Amino acid sequence: RLVGNGQLEMVTGGWVMPDEANSHYFAMIDQLIEGHQWLEKNIGVTPRSGWAVDPFGHSSTMPYLLKRANLTGMLIQRVHYAIKKHFAATQNLEFMWRQTWGEGLLGRRPQRGPCRGGWQPGIATDHVPVRMASRAPGGDGSALQWFCPVGQPQGDSPLCPVVGRVGSAGKGGGNPQPQEPRRFPVMLRAACAVLQAQFGTLSDYFDALYKKVGIVPGMKPPGFPVLSGDFFSYADREDHYWTGYYTSRPFYKSLDRVLEAHLRGAEILYSLALAHARHAGTDGRYPLSDYALLSNARRNLGLFQHHDAITGTAKEAVAVDYGVRLFHSLTNLKRVIINAAHYLVLGDKDAYRHDPAAPFLGTDDTRPNQDSLPERTVVKLDASPRFLVVFNPLEQERLSVLPVLVDSPHVPGPHAPAALLQRGWLRSSCCPQVSVLARLPALGLRVLQLHKSFDGHATLKSSVRLYLHGRGLPVRKQEAVPVHVFPATADDFCLENQHLQACFLGRSGLLQASAGSIRRAGEEREQRVSSKFFVYGTRTSKDKSGAYLFLPDGEAKPYTPKDPPVVRVTEGPLFSEVASYYQHVQTIVRLYNVPGVEGLSLDVSCLVDIRDHINKELALRFSTDIESDDTFFTDLNGFQIQPRRYQQKLPLQANFYPMPAMAYIQDTQSRLTLHTAQALGVSSLGSGQLEVILDRRLMQDDNRGLGQGLKDNKRTCNRFRLLLERRTTANKDGRPISFPSLLSHITSMHLNAEALVMPVAQEKPAPPALRSFMPLSTTLPCDFHILNLRMLQAEDDSLPSAEAALILHRKGFDCSLEAKNLGFNCTTSQGKLALGSLFQGLELGSLQPTSLTLMYPLGTASNSTNIHLDPMEIATFRIRLG
């Protein structure tokens, strides 16, 4: 009744009000779809306006997504206090927020009211359009908070949303608040005899504004300012910058992305398996109940996008609850993937039998509990061959090195030690590792087999050099791998493949720049790149760093462990790597000796454990001779790139920004990109530098509402790729818009969507005939990304309907970067794609373009299945496969 009468409005309508710094755009879209579909089914509501009053800074990705979902206006709140003041002084609190490539949405930045603490979210509010541009105290002495410009707003008849909190101030004071919303008009009329006031909603405000200027909602009002860019980083007073939460609780930020990759993979495989089962008439035996597991995982992933979840700013008990939800959903998604893969690789579909008590496939890895790192599954070998089913979640074919732990060293293929030392992190692995080079079909399943071999010539072994640097640690040599132990400091050394050469310091095992540490094949020029760990402290007086705030005690100091690192150098036919074992961090830099994407960048991982630190933050800094000056680039939500500048006049903490997917520096000749598999904070504090915060342990609250420090650190593995590219022409990109290269896009996807290796669990008798599954009949254009293929719910929301949502993204890319030896099997197609013939063995029964969240059809369904997307465009289609 309240909704129908216009007294209550559902704004934005996502599963949560998401954080806009750390969330990936896949998860932002997914939680928006889940929320919109729930509202439509249960309340019959379709949101029209966006409302984001509590995320700690705002990304320009959000207005794009809301625009694509057919919302026509949005309101934001947490913006740097100096920007608020500027907007108010220039009367620009209403503006069009556009993307650098075009799309725009009307936004409003509320003026903060007279109460120092600001409006607190989470309590029922009214949004009241009024003709008032000043403070009006209530009869009981309480004050309304006016979200109005200082001075005359747009036009001569201002509409100012007034937001008040229902209820009195809590114990101990706080902001005085109106007791009864019904008294608002009375109090306002008392302040001005000619005032007209009424209750309304956010959309009422935007409707009145659009009506006043005489345009259709969603169009650009004449005379309104146009802004692009984002509102990071946020500060609420003095030098209190909210840049710490970009890294807080990195373990869960990493787990979030693992779950996200599994959800996308499970959605796509489930949709394809169900479509093929329906096509073959065997869907009666397929576990349709897996849809409930998908639905639950969507909601748990969506819940974690909340602006106090993925941010790492929840209380410890709440963080554990989030972790348990992510962990359970990850376990369930592996089950969905296994069931779908089982059906799709069977040569005889009539032989398919689903047995939940005895899954046909094992998982690629397991986690004992929600705060554990994954443990890879060990494949047991005997005289019979063991079959592996490998899932490639990318829409492009890939050549990948697959690590497999086995219980015998007698396996054809390259070997590498999982670990060689016996203390702490250097504990010996139970089993040797086999590396398998395999070409994997796009979105497909490849069937491989392993078998024992006692022919030593068939086994390609790695060689290992171990530098103890004076540490008397016992070493257990393994049969599979020859190990050479050296007690003394080694000279500097280099590793290389057919694309790159990388050089390292012997005493540290880290990249070194003294003589040029990275050189690309065919080039005489060497790029100086060095890596080093640093530590930030926090202030000794007044406010200190906490879950939200980064308040360092000055510049970072070099990390100085009590013992020198043990350095392990592995060289093999498929990859070479350098591992450095420090007291608080184990870092591995790997160079793949394979053609194509995998071999064109350095794979970097850092296993961090700072649980014995007190008020410290660990950072990894890359220093280069790239002349980037004060400019660097970071991504927004993995969707777009935002140029940044180091501001000397601002404090150090103000120059850190969120990095959900990548950051890069460049000059007229080169670009160095740091790709990341988890959201972290990043900056460039000097020309040629990139610095990322790996973890932070803080013993006190920072007085922003958490009431706790950050003391629940976990052993966390942060994963990166370091990509060096050259420009084809000497051109330093000074435009306010920048894009990754195609190679950079695909490198990021390789890092974030790893192939899943699933052993056939049935050892005896021999498994039924298996065959690889290749779902795509044609190669997708290089710049097209299948963001999701998501089955839609039936009337019973625990079961799937006959329709699915196909969400496509055409990525924008910089084509001025060199494209040699990429190993791509795809090309670009100027945005054209034939969907009708895309899925092999399936017919596209219907194709209906819709708004992003499927709430609005866009035009009528056409017989044509050929589509066109502009660069950066995200498009949703309601489809029926069978």
Side-chain angles (χ1 to χ4, degrees), residues 554-617:
E555 295 184 0
K557 300 174 179 61
Y559 168 64
T560 53
K562 64 179 182 180
D563 294 310
V566 172
V567 177
R568 188 194 74 206
V569 182
T570 304
E571 295 186 77
L574 293 185
F575 68 84
S576 300
E577 68 179 21
V578 181
S580 301
Y581 298 90
Y582 288 89
Q583 181 183 357
H584 299 99
V585 59
Q586 168 189 326
T587 180
I588 299 177
V589 180
R590 176 176 289 190
L591 193 58
Y592 285 101
N593 302 326
V594 297
V597 175
E598 295 280 10
L600 289 166
S601 59
L602 294 177
D603 187 286
V604 181
S605 64
C606 297
L607 182 59
V608 177
D609 188 349
I610 58 170
R611 287 176 291 183
D612 64 351
H613 275 11
I614 296 177
N615 278 332
K616 301 294 183 184
E617 307 189 32

Side-chain angles (χ1 to χ4, degrees), residues 379-460:
V379 178
K380 296 180 180 180
L381 299 174
D382 55 24
S384 303
R386 283 299 305 273
F387 288 89
L388 306 175
V389 176
V390 186
F391 173 45
N392 172 23
L394 300 184
E395 59 277 295
Q396 301 294 343
E397 181 184 82
R398 71 199 288 182
L399 183 65
S400 291
V401 176
L402 309 172
V404 182
L405 288 186
V406 293
D407 66 345
S408 169
H410 301 291
V411 183
H415 289 71
L420 289 170
L421 304 183
Q422 297 176 347
R423 289 184 183 171
W425 289 355
L426 311 184
R427 185 173 58 250
S428 175
S429 169
C430 67
C431 309
Q433 173 181 294
V434 177
S435 299
V436 181
L437 182 64
R439 189 170 294 278
L440 307 176
L443 293 177
L445 299 158
R446 176 82 185 273
V447 178
L448 304 173
Q449 60 177 303
L450 291 178
H451 59 87
K452 276 190 175 182
S453 171
F454 295 95
D455 179 5
H457 298 289
T459 302
L460 304 175

